[in-house]
Amino acid sequence: MKPEKLIEKTRLYVQKELAGESSGHDWWHIFRVWSLAKNIAQTENANLTIVELSALLHDIADWKFTGGDELEGPAKAEIWLRKNTADQKLIDRVCEIIATISYKGAGVPTPMRTIEGKVVQDADRLDAIGAVGIARTFAYGGNKNRLIYHPDEPPVMHQSFEEYKKNRGHTINHFYEKLLLLKDLMNTKSAKKLAEKRHLFMEKYLDRFYKEWNGDV
Ligand code: NI
């Protein structure tokens, strides 16, 4: 199957699979990551077919919704790509990205081996910060029955993926445990630049949040 046709078929498949998802990992998250990844890929000279398929399939079965099983995502992507007679080399490249893309805690490195992986990880992380990132974070917190904030519970810098997975803390902590760290974890120059505005907006948002929380308005 021609790459353009496979990408289009995959888009329709993912759109259908994730349409009604309510935790911030819905089709529109995928659409934004896909668009951002295409943009960054052009500046970084990455292979577009690998980037687009990985971006489209990266949350097809995220560990956050499979009871912590991080192997389900790449496995489901592989079944889909194989069904559509994708080349085995292409399948391997895409599935490697899906298997390694996730954030795993403040103290856990998540390096990407290929430029395509770096691009898609950056795009996914850009959609986790800024105004959209804030909206997604609270949607996720609600979906997981988390408190918005608790002033007596400080953030935790998780040192292992297992610890990070078990975390049930309030949503404001998630800013310190992940979102505010992402700016410095961007792989590519283009994403670093794009992250700046989004980062500043989150800082402003938090400042305002505490002011209102403390009745200082
Ligand atoms: Ni994602």
Side-chain angles (χ1 to χ4, degrees), residues 25 29-30 33 58-59 62 124 136:
H25 296 78
H29 161 61
I30 308 300
V33 172
H58 83 276
D59 276 337
D62 192 286
D124 193 29
R136 292 184 60 223

Side-chain angles (χ1 to χ4, degrees), residues 10 50-63 70-78 80-81 90-104 112 114 116-117 120-121 124:
T10 304
I50 298 173
V51 164
E52 290 194 51
L53 288 172
S54 309
L56 285 169
L57 290 164
H58 83 276
D59 276 337
I60 198 67
D62 192 286
W63 64 264
E70 70 262 30
L71 300 175
E72 222 172 283
K76 195 167 172 187
E78 175 152 14
W80 166 255
L81 292 170
L90 177 63
I91 297 178
D92 290 345
R93 298 284 294 273
V94 170
C95 290
E96 179 192 330
I97 293 172
I98 299 171
T100 50
I101 192 172
S102 287
Y103 184 80
K104 298 185 170 72
M112 300 304 280
T114 60
E116 289 77 21
V120 181
Q121 189 181 56
D124 193 29

Side-chain angles (χ1 to χ4, degrees), residues 26 35 89 96 184 205 213:
D26 57 297
S35 311
K89 262 192 207 155
E96 179 192 330
D184 294 328
Y205 172 79
W213 186 276

